[in-house]
Amino acid sequence: MADTSFEHHGHQVEIRAWQAEARWAWSFQIDDRQPVENVQTGARSEESALIEARHEAIAAIKTLHDKP
């Protein structure tokens, strides 16, 4: 299982990836919000799962900033 964190537009993001049977699963958490988890990914490697999680977290932050 891999854990990593980064900051994006003032938000602290934690992402995780772990092996779930033959595929990799991932999750992300922005600041202290509810974590988002995806265990149905198509990722075939830890690196791919982390990339997917990072991409989804950044999209979620963009959505947060777009809300009125």
Side-chain angles (χ1 to χ4, degrees):
M1 179 171 61
D3 296 322
T4 189
S5 63
F6 63 96
E7 189 174 319
H8 187 74
H9 290 284
H11 295 279
Q12 186 61 36
V13 181
E14 300 286 331
I15 58 177
R16 291 182 27 204
W18 65 94
Q19 191 138 21
E21 298 186 21
R23 306 277 183 185
W24 284 82
W26 55 256
S27 69
F28 68 82
Q29 183 173 9
I30 300 169
D31 301 324
D32 292 329
R33 291 178 169 81
Q34 181 73 22
V36 174
E37 188 172 281
N38 184 348
V39 295
Q40 299 292 324
T41 79
R44 296 181 183 267
S45 71
E46 181 179 64
E47 181 180 5
S48 293
L50 290 171
I51 290 168
E52 281 183 30
R54 183 179 180 90
H55 174 78
E56 292 297 324
I58 290 170
I61 289 170
K62 183 180 182 318
T63 300
L64 288 173
H65 284 259
D66 289 347
K67 286 185 179 178

